[in-house]
Amino acid sequence: MSTTMEQGRTAPGTPDGPRLGYLSGILTVFELEMKQRIRSRAWYVMLAVWFAVIALVTGLAAYTAGFDEGTGQVMFELVVGFVLFFGFLVVPALSANSITGDRAGGTLAILQNTLLTPGQIVLGKWLAAWVAALGFLVAAVPMIAWAMSYGDVYLPAVPVFLLLAAVELGIACAIGVGVSARSNRPLFAIVASYLLVALLGLGTVIAYGLSYRLVESTAVVHTQVFPNDPWSNVEYDAEGRVLGEDGEPLNSAEEQAFFEEIDRKYQDPAIDTEYYVCSSQGGVQPVFHTERITWLLAANPFVVVADAVPQRERDPESWGAEGPMAAISQGVRMSQAGPAATTPCLDGVKREPTDLSGQPPIWPLGLGLQLLLAGGLMFSGRRRLATPAGKLATGTRIA
Amino acid sequence: MSTTQHASDGRFPGGGIIASGLARSFGPVQAVASMDFSAPPGQVTALIGPNGSGKTTLLLMLASLLRPDAGTISICGIDPVERPRDVRALLGWMPDTLGVWEALTAREILTTVGKLYGKDAAAARERADELLDLVKLGGYAHQPARVLSRGQQQRLSLARALVNDPAVLLLDEPASGLDPGARIDLRNLLRRFAAEGRTVVVSSHVLSELDEIADRAVFVSTGRTIREQSVDEAGAQSRRYGIQGLDVRALMEALGKAGVRYGLPESQRRNGVTVQLASEAEAAALLRTLVSAGVAVTAFAPASGALEETYLSTMSSNGEAER
């Protein structure tokens, strides 16, 4: 009992009264959270497991892609995709207990009883969860660098990939913290966060697939004719034998020579075998107006990242994609373009060579939807933390 | 209902707590049905009641954490529902749950809370060290809170409630888990806070202890305030005394001659009797009579604490006594 209490206090609410700056409140909550996270062993165990899993995936990707030069882009996209995927598996566990845990431990009420506002608590907790999640991204950087060492990576894509992965992890953290602020039981918060994250990652794809029937319609599609393609001009008789130029079936020696000739023509770069015209004959076929349901895919984190990342200039008629991310982006843009761009002889009109990059980017819509969901949950969580508390769920104690 | 006067603003010009007509339910459970509560500055007010009587709910409402369904609260003239943050600047609240961040050291906990009251890092650290000395945890400053014993965590929790140098202190069961030495320290500390003009509210079950700490007591039961009483009033009321003598038979004869009805206690260890006396003056007179009658009196003392007496009589009249 050696010290004395401070005497002479200022009245509350006056300019001299105690004040807590908005930012410093957030940072203090952040610091408090980080200290606890850094000191828990679970965090390091998770990081080690994470590192091992990403290393394994990168190793397997390297083995699959071969050890050739120039496969860096595929490797890079594969590894970043997996980092994102595993990130989504880890992040709800990192964030969804941050407020329910405090509620269970009795420390939430202590924070609420200081000068902190509910918004500062939610934002501080979110920031800490996000930084913890970024730790996992940082731990994956050596593997990303390893993937890039295979060369030929489109460098402008790298910072955008990393930035968007960071943003997506932040959104997942916001979902976790928002749910956590709303729920009373840690288990419920974690399961609900996983379900919401799965809703973005898998639910969007399932909804897209199931909506296909809703956008089905019919169109007259004419048959394609490839006049320069030697294969398409081969004629067969009723028994499946190849017919010669005289209309008689060929014997096996003749057939052999005939095929070699066709193959030579097919390989000849001077002949454009892809050239086609639309015949006058056509039939009614089902077509799917995917342009009406592509927005469902937009909120998928992989779509957002893949679509936002800049890609190397490519031949507009080439259908091949360099890596899995580029393939996702291209698939989504084709879906956006709909049957008009993907059906060759729709209504007997020859499809113009489509430049899919002419499609508007879909990632701003997706990011907007995600931010709406995450922001809404954070806002609703903030309201739940407001004190004096009005409604309480039955069976919960505030302290 | 309480016998004292009720909320009129400005009753306690130096601060204090005035609450009237408070009600709060959790779903179908009416935790607080109708409570009036006042705690003047410069005094220690005890909040006494059986388990589940609404003590903690009342303290949560006073601590600006829970919104009352009905009624008004004024903490130093401020309504915690309207201006919770202004009230929190003045308020120190020690919950009945410990609520410590187990991974943090004692000093870090106090420093963090200091920062949350708007102190800069240096001032928060200085305050933390001051409070660790105050609750005698200076030697544990750098230990993580999880290694502290329950009593030490309780002291840490008290220190945490004091970080903002509160004018109003709300302590929910502060003595539970404390060893006798720490209880004496707590008692001295609370008396000093009251002497400094602070408003101190203590809820507790240990009634004998409250006799020495509290200036007044508010009794609650089944969500209602049933009595407000000062400890002096409690001491002046009719109460039971235990008398022991070397020769119990001589003692009983002398009491019979004096016309005092006595009872034989069932559960006491020693042989003796209990008598019901209306006042302390009557007790003094009886002792004088006994001594002059030649009875060898070895003990003559109230059978229970003053607040315990009120508690038992009040609760039994409410059909609520726990024992």
Side-chain angles (χ1 to χ4, degrees):
Chain A
M1 304 291 158
S2 54
T3 52
T4 54
M5 301 290 287
E6 297 162 32
Q7 286 299 305
R9 48 181 314 119
T10 45
T14 62
D16 298 337
R19 279 276 174 276
L20 175 65
Y22 198 76
L23 196 63
S24 67
I26 293 174
L27 291 178
T28 307
V29 174
F30 169 73
E31 188 192 333
L32 175 66
E33 269 306 280
M34 284 316 285
K35 273 186 183 155
Q36 296 180 77
R37 285 174 186 275
I38 284 171
R39 287 175 197 176
S40 85
R41 263 181 52 134
W43 155 264
Y44 295 100
V45 173
M46 274 166 89
L47 267 182
V49 170
W50 163 271
F51 190 82
V53 168
I54 300 287
L56 189 72
V57 165
T58 314
L60 283 173
Y63 184 74
T64 312
F67 295 88
D68 317 323
E69 282 292 308
T71 52
Q73 184 69 26
V74 179
M75 288 277 294
F76 173 72
E77 293 191 7
L78 209 58
V79 171
V80 171
F82 269 104
V83 166
L84 203 58
F85 175 67
F86 289 129
F88 276 109
L89 290 184
V90 169
V91 160
L94 283 178
S95 55
N97 200 27
S98 61
I99 293 175
T100 28
D102 275 17
R103 205 174 253 140
T107 46
L108 180 65
I110 287 168
L111 290 182
Q112 289 173 308
N113 203 242
T114 64
L115 301 185
L116 282 175
T117 62
Q120 285 171 313
I121 297 177
V122 168
L123 286 175
K125 296 270 185 189
W126 167 74
L127 199 60
W130 190 27
V131 168
L134 290 182
F136 284 80
L137 193 58
V138 169
V141 161
M143 296 306 151
I144 295 174
W146 180 20
M148 285 172 66
S149 73
Y150 284 83
D152 202 29
V153 172
Y154 186 53
L155 288 176
V158 177
V160 183
F161 256 132
L162 292 177
L163 180 74
L164 276 156
V167 169
E168 289 297 324
L169 292 180
I171 286 171
C173 284
I175 290 173
V177 170
V179 169
S180 188
R182 284 219 61 86
S183 54
N184 297 312
R185 301 196 196 290
L187 188 61
F188 172 83
I190 290 172
V191 171
S193 306
Y194 269 110
L195 287 178
L196 281 170
V197 168
L199 178 75
L200 292 182
L202 292 173
T204 49
V205 178
I206 293 170
Y208 176 79
L210 292 178
S211 305
Y212 246 73
R213 284 277 156 219
L214 301 177
V215 293
E216 183 180 0
S217 69
T218 50
V220 176
V221 178
H222 291 238
T223 45
Q224 276 172 287
V225 177
F226 295 87
N228 294 341
D229 184 352
W231 286 105
S232 65
N233 298 323
V234 178
E235 290 179 57
Y236 301 86
D237 69 2
E239 286 148 52
R241 289 173 301 183
V242 180
L243 299 178
E245 285 174 17
D246 52 1
E248 289 301 313
L250 302 177
N251 63 33
S252 63
E254 286 170 331
E255 197 178 278
Q256 179 81 17
F258 183 75
F259 282 152
E260 274 168 16
E261 170 67 12
I262 284 179
D263 207 40
R264 192 193 52 74
K265 278 189 196 161
Y266 192 74
Q267 300 291 338
D268 185 351
I271 302 171
D272 179 11
T273 53
E274 298 277 302
Y275 172 79
Y276 71 93
V277 291
C278 296
S279 75
S280 56
Q281 293 162 341
V284 173
Q285 272 187 19
V287 289
F288 298 95
H289 288 280
T290 51
E291 72 273 17
R292 296 179 196 155
I293 52 170
T294 307
W295 63 271
L296 279 170
L297 286 177
N300 187 300
F302 295 93
V303 171
V304 168
V305 173
D307 196 57
V309 164
Q311 285 174 13
R312 226 187 295 260
E313 286 291 325
R314 23 194 297 285
D315 173 12
E317 271 296 85
S318 144
W319 292 89
E322 272 196 278
M325 287 294 185
I328 292 174
S329 172
Q330 205 178 332
V332 171
R333 300 241 168 141
M334 276 173 64
S335 170
Q336 253 181 310
T342 49
T343 316
C345 285
L346 193 65
D347 293 327
V349 179
K350 184 177 174 180
R351 178 175 58 84
E352 291 302 310
T354 36
D355 181 10
L356 289 173
S357 63
Q359 288 295 324
I362 201 167
W363 65 268
L365 170 67
L367 204 57
L369 288 173
Q370 290 176 352
L371 287 175
L372 209 63
L373 173 68
L377 280 168
M378 290 266 281
F379 183 75
S380 132
R382 189 199 74 86
R383 286 187 48 161
R384 183 63 188 273
L385 292 188
T387 45
K391 269 187 156 174
L392 285 186
T394 35
T396 55
R397 278 171 74 92
I398 195 163
Chain B
M1 269 298 138
S2 128
T3 51
T4 52
Q5 72 278 39
H6 274 296
S8 59
D9 264 320
R11 179 147 63 103
F12 304 139
I17 302 172
I18 302 166
S20 59
L22 290 181
R24 173 71 211 207
S25 56
F26 299 101
V29 181
Q30 185 83 25
V32 169
S34 167
M35 277 195 191
D36 299 300
F37 180 86
S38 62
Q43 290 191 19
V44 176
T45 302
L47 181 61
I48 300 172
N51 294 331
S53 56
K55 296 192 298 293
T56 294
T57 306
L58 172 64
L59 285 176
L60 286 172
M61 288 193 283
L62 297 180
S64 79
L65 289 172
L66 207 55
R67 184 189 300 274
D69 294 337
T72 58
I73 304 173
S74 158
I75 310 276
C76 298
I78 307 170
D79 181 349
V81 176
E82 297 296 319
R83 293 162 61 193
R85 237 157 297 285
D86 290 336
V87 164
R88 281 168 203 164
L90 297 172
L91 197 77
W93 172 64
M94 180 177 164
D96 58 345
T97 53
L98 286 172
V100 291
W101 291 278
E102 294 196 329
L104 269 62
T105 69
R107 191 171 186 245
E108 283 172 334
I109 289 176
L110 297 180
T111 309
T112 303
V113 174
K115 286 188 199 163
L116 295 178
Y117 281 108
K119 292 185 198 293
D120 63 40
R125 267 196 299 278
E126 193 186 324
R127 181 70 180 151
D129 290 338
E130 204 175 291
L131 288 167
L132 285 171
D133 286 340
L134 185 71
V135 299
K136 298 185 175 168
L137 284 177
Y140 296 91
H142 300 288
Q143 297 286 336
R146 90 167 70 80
V147 308
L148 298 182
S149 73
R150 190 190 148 84
Q152 288 167 334
Q153 290 193 358
Q154 192 82 3
R155 269 141 65 195
L156 180 60
S157 179
L158 174 68
R160 195 207 30 78
L162 298 174
V163 164
N164 60 334
D165 188 26
V168 173
L169 252 179
L170 303 173
L171 310 173
D172 202 348
E173 300 283 346
S176 69
L178 294 186
D179 60 42
R183 280 171 191 241
I184 293 168
D185 288 344
L186 175 70
R187 191 172 74 201
N188 294 340
L189 202 57
L190 296 187
R191 289 309 319 163
R192 205 177 84 208
F193 290 152
E196 287 169 357
R198 298 173 208 272
T199 309
V200 183
V201 178
V202 184
S203 92
S204 178
H205 287 122
V206 189
L207 297 173
S208 54
E209 227 169 55
L210 290 175
D211 274 352
E212 290 164 56
I213 299 179
D215 298 292
R216 48 197 299 285
V218 175
F219 293 86
V220 295
S221 174
T222 57
R224 292 170 194 283
T225 323
I226 49 180
R227 193 154 181 189
E228 272 187 56
Q229 191 182 44
S230 76
V231 170
D232 290 341
E233 282 166 16
Q237 74 197 344
S238 159
R239 63 196 292 197
R240 287 175 305 125
Y241 282 75
I243 309 173
Q244 290 167 16
L246 289 177
D247 183 352
V248 180
R249 188 160 305 171
L251 173 63
M252 291 194 285
E253 274 173 24
L255 285 171
K257 262 187 218 154
V260 178
R261 292 181 54 185
Y262 59 88
L264 291 169
E266 292 154 21
S267 57
Q268 301 289 331
R269 280 190 301 273
R270 300 231 186 104
N271 285 335
V273 297
T274 56
V275 296
Q276 185 78 29
L277 298 173
S279 67
E280 287 179 323
E282 197 174 306
L286 178 62
L287 179 58
R288 199 181 311 116
T289 312
L290 289 176
V291 172
S292 32
V295 178
V297 175
T298 56
F300 190 107
S304 59
L307 290 172
E308 189 176 345
E309 194 72 36
T310 311
Y311 179 81
L312 290 175
S313 63
T314 311
M315 294 305 154
S316 60
S317 67
N318 269 267
E320 262 289 323
E322 286 182 297
R323 57 196 172 103

